[in-house]
Amino acid sequence: MAREEKRALKPNDFPGGIHPPENKQQSTGEPIGSIPLAEKLVVPLIQHTGTAAIPVVKLGDKVLKGQLIAEADGLISGNIHAPSSGTVEAIEPGPMPHPSGMEVDTITIRTDGEDRWCELTPCEDFRQLAPIELLEKIRDCGVAGLGGAGFPTAVKLDPHGGTEIDTLIINGTECEPYITADDMQMRERAGEIIAGVEMMAYILDEPDQVLIGIEDNKPEAIEAMRAAAEGTRFDIIVYPTKYPSGGEKQLIQILTGREVPNEGLPANVGVICQNTGTARAVYRAVRFGEPMISRVTTVVGEALERSRNIEVPLGTPIRHILKQHGVHRGLMQRIIHGGPMMGFTIEDDRTPVIKTTTCLLVPTDSELPPPPPAQACIRCGFCAEACPASLLPQQLYWYARADDREKLQAYNLFDCIECGACSYVCPSTIPLVQYYRAAKGDIRIAEEEKEKSDRARERFEFRKLRLEKAEKEKEAKRKARREAAEQARKQREQQAASGNGDSASGKAAKEEADVVAAALARVKAKQSSPEQQLARAKRSLTSAEHRVERMQKKLDAADDAQRDQLAAQLKDAELKLQDARRKLADAQAKASPSAATDAADVQSGTGGSGEEGGHGGQSRAQSAIEKAKAAAAARASMDPAEKLAAEIEALRARVAKAKARLEKARAEQDENVDAFATALEKLQEKLDHKMRQQQEQDGEK
């Protein structure tokens, strides 16, 4: 006890701090109580620092109290369990406690009133398990910090990077006005808290110091904790009340004199800090296998008939809690989630209790008057004097207003714990913390966007390098093939020039050269074949005709708003059709007599040699061209009815030719009979369609 008293007499101090009215007596007059189970429990899938959990249940599932309903997604995440037995009624976005009022995915459970537990796995003696097994049990039970941002406890108790932890601090400060949840738990459940501390010390390989810090405004809690810790090596450190001594970095400085570096973690100075409520939750998880499905929450305010602390299931709507405490809606100014210094207003009373809900404050206007309008900063410096993190709030305020993110980070914005001390002492009533909170959010979003952009740029650059490398490899292969071919050609030429013409090697080289030359000539001739050009021209003409047909149908069915645009598209299609007809005429003129489509003007067997044959070919080509031009000019001058009649006649001729070709193929048992039949079927469909169009035109007349 001598060492304990020595420590109690010589705590350290931290810079800044304030002494707002405590207002804690309102909620400490009754023991920790409970309320009737709500009809529905709305359980958000994110109740902690990190990523949201992933549902493992579906609509209509029956669940038991303590059953896993959503599992952690990654290291910095937490399991979510059913706070009571019932039926999964919805998995949908719903409200959660947040300054922005945002919605997150939630699981709604309609309770059955039976409150039946699922099967649990208790542990009689935690020392029979390895520390890693205890961490796994804590992780499986979804235990998160109950005094701050809700950081997953298993992650916090397993520091990475080989950091040596020599001090475990248990935070029983609870410095924020009105909140007494930890105070009441230390008074009534000190034994469970100390048991949880023993487990955490075991997991951390028995650190040199285990310090339990409590402010001197909690005499009953101090007495109960000292009695529970008797016989252990744990030190109960009592220090003067000052806000915000419950901040993690401030408490470490008070109890150890160590300062956590800028944007650093307590583990960087060999310290792990946990809340008293978290210690009790660790004990319940290990000893009884109970997951974190409830917490002690302070319900207080002059707008309530009854103020006290209650053990409330997570997911219980705030509306249900206030109703059980006799809320006066007419007197209620607002609902504050947390305390008056660091809490935020809840607009929707359907919002549920989550793991970090320390307090529900329901004040009246006289109890917590609304702040007056903000005025201009007078540069008094009170904010800097009150800041427990030794920051320059005035400078941060100006940089936040100017959105100067570089300066904000240079002035250590992220060391701000958002305690509200600067806003509390500001004579101009400037809501400084709101500016800092918004600036932090903007910087985080900008950093996330930059990270995404950097990853995208890296992927692009890697792809570019990969493509360049592949192209260089291809070019190297092409160059090697060219060089090999050139070398082979030179060798053949040298052999042909120096060798004997009758030798076997000379003959082989000459034959090889002749074969290559012949193959190249065949490919060239095939590429420039008039028959192929004619076939392509025919296909182009058919495609152009079909396009004109489709555009004409669209124009006929269009309303007035679309007719001009479709008319322009139809005109363009008709111009392309004329061009296709011209190209077909040119191809017919260049084709041999057997490949020309206009057989009536091609005389078979008249091809001669010499000049006469050449002049005959030219006259036939000229004749075909003139005829094609005349046919095109005639079609251009036709009205729609005449064009339709001409198309029908042409299709009938094509159908007749297709029938003849099909019959001939069947007679000769040609393997392409099916293809000819399909072609005939399509032509017949086109002819039938055109004839129906003609009948419709005749009917309109």
Coordinates of all heavy atoms in Angstrom, one line a residue, residues 545-546 548-554 556 640-641 643-645 647-648 651 685-701:
E545 N -29.0 -1.7 -99.8 CA -30.4 -1.7 -100.1 C -31.2 -2.0 -98.8 O -32.3 -1.4 -98.5 CB -30.7 -2.9 -101.1 CG -30.3 -2.5 -102.5 CD -30.5 -3.7 -103.5 OE1 -30.6 -4.8 -103.0 OE2 -30.4 -3.4 -104.7
H546 N -30.7 -2.9 -98.0 CA -31.3 -3.2 -96.7 C -31.4 -2.0 -95.8 O -32.3 -1.8 -95.1 CB -30.6 -4.4 -96.0 CG -30.8 -5.7 -96.8 ND1 -30.1 -6.9 -96.4 CD2 -31.6 -6.0 -97.8 CE1 -30.5 -7.8 -97.2 NE2 -31.4 -7.4 -98.1
V548 N -31.4 1.2 -96.7 CA -32.4 2.1 -97.1 C -33.8 1.6 -96.7 O -34.7 2.4 -96.3 CB -32.3 2.3 -98.7 CG1 -33.5 3.0 -99.2 CG2 -31.0 3.0 -99.0
E549 N -34.0 0.3 -96.8 CA -35.3 -0.3 -96.5 C -35.6 0.0 -95.0 O -36.7 0.4 -94.6 CB -35.2 -1.8 -96.7 CG -36.4 -2.5 -97.3 CD -36.1 -3.9 -97.6 OE1 -35.5 -4.2 -98.7 OE2 -36.5 -4.7 -96.8
R550 N -34.6 -0.3 -94.1 CA -34.8 -0.1 -92.7 C -35.1 1.4 -92.3 O -36.0 1.7 -91.5 CB -33.6 -0.6 -91.9 CG -33.4 -2.1 -91.9 CD -32.4 -2.5 -90.8 NE -31.1 -1.9 -91.0 CZ -30.1 -2.4 -91.7 NH1 -30.3 -3.6 -92.4 NH2 -29.0 -1.8 -91.8
M551 N -34.3 2.3 -93.0 CA -34.5 3.7 -92.7 C -35.9 4.2 -93.1 O -36.5 5.0 -92.5 CB -33.4 4.5 -93.3 CG -32.0 4.3 -92.8 SD -31.9 4.4 -91.0 CE -32.5 6.0 -90.7
Q552 N -36.4 3.6 -94.3 CA -37.7 4.0 -94.8 C -38.8 3.6 -93.8 O -39.7 4.3 -93.5 CB -37.9 3.4 -96.1 CG -39.2 3.8 -96.8 CD -39.3 5.3 -97.1 OE1 -38.4 5.8 -97.8 NE2 -40.3 6.0 -96.6
K553 N -38.6 2.4 -93.2 CA -39.6 1.9 -92.2 C -39.6 2.8 -91.0 O -40.7 3.1 -90.5 CB -39.3 0.5 -91.8 CG -39.5 -0.6 -92.9 CD -39.2 -2.0 -92.4 CE -39.4 -3.0 -93.4 NZ -39.0 -4.4 -93.0
K554 N -38.4 3.1 -90.5 CA -38.3 4.0 -89.3 C -39.0 5.3 -89.6 O -39.6 5.9 -88.7 CB -36.9 4.2 -88.9 CG -36.2 2.9 -88.3 CD -34.8 3.2 -87.8 CE -34.1 2.0 -87.2 NZ -32.8 2.3 -86.7
D556 N -41.3 6.0 -91.7 CA -42.8 5.9 -91.8 C -43.4 5.8 -90.4 O -44.6 6.3 -90.2 CB -43.1 4.6 -92.6 CG -42.7 4.8 -94.1 OD1 -42.5 5.9 -94.5 OD2 -42.6 3.7 -94.8
P640 N -41.7 6.2 -105.2 CA -41.6 5.0 -104.3 C -42.3 3.8 -104.8 O -41.8 2.6 -104.6 CB -42.2 5.5 -102.9 CG -41.9 7.0 -103.0 CD -42.1 7.4 -104.4
A641 N -43.5 3.9 -105.4 CA -44.2 2.8 -105.9 C -43.5 2.1 -107.0 O -43.4 0.9 -107.1 CB -45.6 3.2 -106.4
K643 N -40.2 2.2 -107.6 CA -39.0 1.6 -107.0 C -39.4 0.2 -106.4 O -38.7 -0.8 -106.5 CB -38.4 2.5 -105.9 CG -37.6 3.6 -106.5 CD -37.0 4.4 -105.4 CE -36.2 5.6 -105.9 NZ -35.6 6.4 -104.8
L644 N -40.5 0.2 -105.6 CA -41.0 -1.0 -105.0 C -41.3 -2.1 -106.0 O -40.9 -3.3 -105.9 CB -42.2 -0.7 -104.1 CG -42.7 -1.9 -103.3 CD1 -41.6 -2.4 -102.4 CD2 -43.9 -1.5 -102.5
A645 N -41.9 -1.7 -107.1 CA -42.2 -2.7 -108.2 C -41.0 -3.2 -108.8 O -40.8 -4.4 -109.1 CB -43.1 -2.0 -109.2
E647 N -38.0 -3.4 -107.4 CA -37.4 -4.3 -106.4 C -38.0 -5.7 -106.4 O -37.4 -6.7 -106.3 CB -37.4 -3.7 -105.0 CG -36.5 -2.5 -104.9 CD -36.7 -1.8 -103.5 OE1 -37.5 -2.2 -102.8 OE2 -36.0 -0.8 -103.3
I648 N -39.4 -5.7 -106.5 CA -40.1 -7.0 -106.5 C -39.7 -7.8 -107.7 O -39.5 -9.0 -107.6 CB -41.6 -6.7 -106.5 CG1 -42.0 -6.2 -105.1 CG2 -42.4 -8.0 -106.8 CD1 -43.5 -5.7 -105.0
L651 N -36.3 -9.2 -107.2 CA -36.3 -10.3 -106.2 C -36.9 -11.5 -106.8 O -36.4 -12.6 -106.5 CB -37.1 -9.8 -105.0 CG -36.3 -8.9 -104.0 CD1 -37.3 -8.4 -103.0 CD2 -35.2 -9.7 -103.3
E685 N -38.5 -14.7 -98.2 CA -39.0 -13.8 -97.2 C -39.0 -12.3 -97.6 O -39.9 -11.6 -97.4 CB -38.2 -14.0 -95.9 CG -38.5 -15.3 -95.2 CD -37.6 -15.5 -94.0 OE1 -36.8 -14.6 -93.7 OE2 -37.7 -16.6 -93.3
K686 N -37.9 -11.9 -98.2 CA -37.7 -10.5 -98.7 C -38.8 -10.3 -99.7 O -39.4 -9.2 -99.7 CB -36.4 -10.3 -99.3 CG -35.2 -10.3 -98.3 CD -33.9 -10.0 -98.9 CE -32.8 -10.0 -97.9 NZ -31.5 -9.8 -98.6
L687 N -39.0 -11.2 -100.7 CA -40.0 -11.0 -101.7 C -41.4 -10.9 -101.1 O -42.2 -10.0 -101.5 CB -39.9 -12.2 -102.7 CG -41.0 -12.1 -103.9 CD1 -40.9 -10.9 -104.7 CD2 -40.8 -13.4 -104.7
D688 N -41.7 -11.8 -100.2 CA -43.0 -11.7 -99.5 C -43.2 -10.4 -98.8 O -44.3 -9.8 -98.9 CB -43.2 -12.9 -98.5 CG -43.2 -14.2 -99.2 OD1 -43.4 -14.2 -100.5 OD2 -43.0 -15.2 -98.5
H689 N -42.2 -9.9 -98.1 CA -42.3 -8.6 -97.4 C -42.5 -7.5 -98.4 O -43.4 -6.6 -98.1 CB -41.0 -8.4 -96.7 CG -40.9 -7.1 -95.9 ND1 -41.7 -6.8 -94.9 CD2 -40.2 -6.0 -96.2 CE1 -41.5 -5.6 -94.5 NE2 -40.5 -5.0 -95.2
K690 N -41.8 -7.5 -99.5 CA -42.0 -6.4 -100.5 C -43.4 -6.4 -101.1 O -44.0 -5.4 -101.3 CB -41.0 -6.5 -101.6 CG -39.5 -6.2 -101.2 CD -39.3 -4.8 -100.8 CE -37.9 -4.5 -100.4 NZ -37.7 -3.1 -100.0
M691 N -43.9 -7.6 -101.3 CA -45.2 -7.8 -101.9 C -46.3 -7.3 -100.9 O -47.3 -6.7 -101.3 CB -45.5 -9.2 -102.3 CG -44.6 -9.7 -103.5 SD -44.9 -11.4 -104.0 CE -46.6 -11.2 -104.7
R692 N -46.1 -7.5 -99.6 CA -47.0 -7.0 -98.6 C -47.0 -5.5 -98.6 O -48.0 -4.8 -98.5 CB -46.7 -7.6 -97.2 CG -47.1 -9.0 -97.0 CD -47.1 -9.4 -95.6 NE -45.7 -9.3 -95.0 CZ -44.8 -10.3 -95.0 NH1 -45.1 -11.5 -95.6 NH2 -43.7 -10.1 -94.4
Q693 N -45.8 -4.9 -98.7 CA -45.7 -3.5 -98.8 C -46.5 -2.9 -100.0 O -47.2 -1.9 -99.9 CB -44.2 -3.1 -98.9 CG -43.5 -3.1 -97.6 CD -42.1 -2.6 -97.7 OE1 -41.5 -2.6 -98.8 NE2 -41.5 -2.1 -96.6
Q694 N -46.3 -3.6 -101.1 CA -47.0 -3.2 -102.3 C -48.6 -3.2 -102.1 O -49.3 -2.3 -102.5 CB -46.6 -4.0 -103.5 CG -47.1 -3.5 -104.9 CD -46.6 -4.3 -106.0 OE1 -46.7 -5.5 -106.0 NE2 -46.0 -3.7 -107.0
Q695 N -49.0 -4.3 -101.5 CA -50.4 -4.5 -101.2 C -50.9 -3.3 -100.3 O -52.0 -2.8 -100.5 CB -50.7 -5.8 -100.6 CG -50.5 -7.0 -101.6 CD -50.6 -8.3 -100.9 OE1 -50.9 -8.4 -99.7 NE2 -50.4 -9.4 -101.7
E696 N -50.1 -3.0 -99.3 CA -50.5 -1.9 -98.3 C -50.6 -0.6 -99.1 O -51.5 0.2 -98.8 CB -49.5 -1.8 -97.2 CG -49.6 -3.0 -96.3 CD -48.4 -3.0 -95.2 OE1 -47.6 -2.0 -95.3 OE2 -48.4 -3.9 -94.4
Q697 N -49.7 -0.3 -100.0 CA -49.7 0.9 -100.8 C -51.0 0.9 -101.7 O -51.6 2.0 -101.8 CB -48.5 1.1 -101.6 CG -47.2 1.4 -100.8 CD -46.0 1.6 -101.7 OE1 -46.1 1.5 -102.9 NE2 -44.9 1.9 -101.0
D698 N -51.2 -0.2 -102.3 CA -52.4 -0.2 -103.2 C -53.7 0.0 -102.4 O -54.6 0.6 -102.8 CB -52.5 -1.6 -103.9 CG -51.3 -1.7 -104.9 OD1 -50.7 -0.7 -105.2 OD2 -51.0 -2.9 -105.3
G699 N -53.7 -0.6 -101.1 CA -54.9 -0.4 -100.3 C -55.1 1.0 -99.9 O -56.2 1.5 -99.8
E700 N -54.0 1.7 -99.6 CA -54.1 3.1 -99.2 C -54.6 4.0 -100.4 O -55.4 5.0 -100.2 CB -52.7 3.7 -98.7 CG -52.3 3.1 -97.4 CD -50.9 3.5 -97.1 OE1 -50.3 4.3 -97.9 OE2 -50.4 3.1 -96.0
K701 N -54.2 3.6 -101.6 CA -54.7 4.4 -102.7 C -56.2 4.1 -102.9 O -57.0 5.0 -103.3 CB -54.0 3.9 -104.0 CG -52.5 4.4 -103.9 CD -51.8 3.9 -105.2 CE -50.3 4.3 -105.2 NZ -49.5 3.8 -106.3

